[in-house]
Amino acid sequence: MRKTVLITGGNSGIGLAIAHELALGGATVCLACRDQRKAAAARDEIMQRTPGAQVEIYPLDLASFDAIHRFVQAFSARHDKLHALINNAGAVPTRQQFTAEGFELQFGGNYLGPFLLTHLLMPLLQAAADEGGTGQGDARIVNLSSIAHTIGRMDLDTAKGRKPYRVLPAYAQSKLGNLLFSNALARKLPAGITSQAMHPGGVASPLYRDIPGWQYAVMKPFLIGPERAGQLAAELALDVSRRGETGGYFSIQHPRIVSRAARNQALQDELYAQSCVWAEVAPLGGTARTQMAA
């Protein structure tokens, strides 16, 4: 059975590498991207490398709740189930910017947008989990975090702006948010749906497009290509060996550190509850589940 996988920001870098791996594995690859011209080019590249691949593209701007709702409506009109969601897209603006709803862009686009998207897609994930009868299905959520989460501090007072704005603390907070969310999901999701997080390693990707050229030149010798990250994400999304695993944190490169804050269930629940208010979604009502060891 061909599985359907959705990747946010799948038109370049890590997302494109993930898409190539999924296409090779026979999945229907759905790219949700802000730039449709780049998305079309990515689709052509995937289909050229993997003849017969099924690739779909959709417009999605994670910095707009309205755009997220429109995307889910369009996607749901075409698919009645989703086997894996890979929350990959991210941005690192060097000057302070804001989402359509007034959130600081890294918090709003890197964390809160995927939070809303995941909740709106839950019926399709549940449909995949219910495939083949009770307990037979398998739906997965893969959240890209970063080792930068270890220096992140969750300060909800900065959600709508920072004074002064410093790019690294804002980025680290958004990546901590991704991991807190992934861990909260692992406890709250219904049976048959799992949540994993990963640090892709120091990858040479368009994520760094806004930093000064001299800084990127210094970093470049220490960066790796996106292919290994693509393989890991595809494995977490589809490999049978990962079936039923939840609450894990994986990394291409070592050390694989999970901060104390990311493991703090009270902080997970505080952020989750406030995010439900901001995103105007009902909280998940699943019972507590055992997480994998960090």
Side-chain angles (χ1 to χ4, degrees):
M1 179 184 63
R2 186 181 290 268
K3 294 197 172 184
T4 302
V5 183
L6 172 64
I7 312 167
T8 62
N11 60 277
S12 63
I14 298 167
L16 181 55
I18 298 170
H20 279 300
E21 290 294 324
L22 294 170
L24 283 171
T28 295
V29 181
C30 304
L31 307 179
C33 309
R34 186 173 56 179
D35 188 324
Q36 289 296 281
R37 181 183 59 82
K38 291 182 179 179
R43 176 187 58 196
D44 293 345
E45 179 183 323
I46 295 166
M47 296 179 70
Q48 182 176 18
R49 185 181 297 185
T50 307
Q54 292 193 14
V55 185
E56 302 170 4
I57 60 174
Y58 298 85
L60 173 62
D61 182 358
L62 287 168
S64 165
F65 287 175
D66 285 346
I68 295 169
H69 279 275
R70 288 196 301 271
F71 161 76
V72 172
Q73 289 175 351
F75 187 82
S76 300
R78 191 164 182 176
H79 295 279
D80 60 2
K81 60 180 68 71
L82 176 63
H83 297 91
L85 166 63
I86 302 177
N87 287 315
N88 162 74
V92 190
T94 54
R95 61 179 179 82
Q96 183 155 236
Q97 300 179 46
F98 297 91
T99 69
E101 290 72 33
F103 293 95
E104 185 272 312
L105 183 59
Q106 294 203 73
F107 183 86
N110 293 356
Y111 162 70
L112 199 53
F115 179 94
L116 173 60
L117 176 67
T118 301
H119 281 79
L120 295 180
L121 289 171
M122 202 59 63
L124 301 188
L125 291 163
Q126 186 65 65
D130 291 341
E131 261 182 341
T134 303
Q136 299 300 311
D138 178 24
R140 307 181 194 184
I141 303 164
V142 180
N143 302 287
L144 267 70
S145 181
S146 168
I147 195 172
H149 88 271
T150 59
I151 60 171
R153 177 174 174 265
M154 188 53 60
D155 180 358
L156 298 184
D157 290 337
T158 68
K160 293 201 170 184
R162 290 172 169 264
K163 295 181 180 179
Y165 175 78
R166 294 195 298 274
V167 61
L168 184 55
Y171 177 72
Q173 176 173 256
S174 73
K175 294 292 103 178
L176 175 58
N178 294 146
L179 188 48
L180 286 165
F181 178 44
S182 185
N183 289 341
L185 281 176
R187 293 186 292 111
K188 298 174 183 295
L189 286 167
I193 310 177
T194 58
S195 174
Q196 304 272 46
M198 61 172 279
H199 165 51
V203 175
S205 78
L207 183 68
Y208 302 111
R209 59 182 170 268
D210 292 328
I211 70 171
W214 70 267
Q215 290 186 11
Y216 184 75
V218 172
M219 295 168 55
K220 189 173 182 179
F222 303 97
L223 301 177
I224 62 174
E227 293 77 18
R228 289 166 59 194
Q231 292 167 2
L232 175 57
E235 175 187 318
L236 293 175
L238 290 182
D239 197 281
V240 294
S241 68
R242 299 295 183 184
R243 183 184 175 95
E245 291 185 2
T246 196
Y249 176 72
F250 301 83
S251 177
I252 292 296
Q253 297 170 304
H254 291 282
R256 182 172 63 90
I257 301 170
V258 180
S259 71
R260 180 179 298 179
R263 298 193 300 267
N264 185 327
Q265 291 191 9
L267 183 58
Q268 293 169 23
D269 290 341
E270 178 187 4
L271 177 62
Y272 181 84
Q274 182 58 59
S275 299
C276 285
V277 173
W278 280 328
E280 299 183 352
V281 294
L284 294 171
T287 56
R289 301 172 65 190
T290 302
Q291 290 183 263
M292 295 175 57

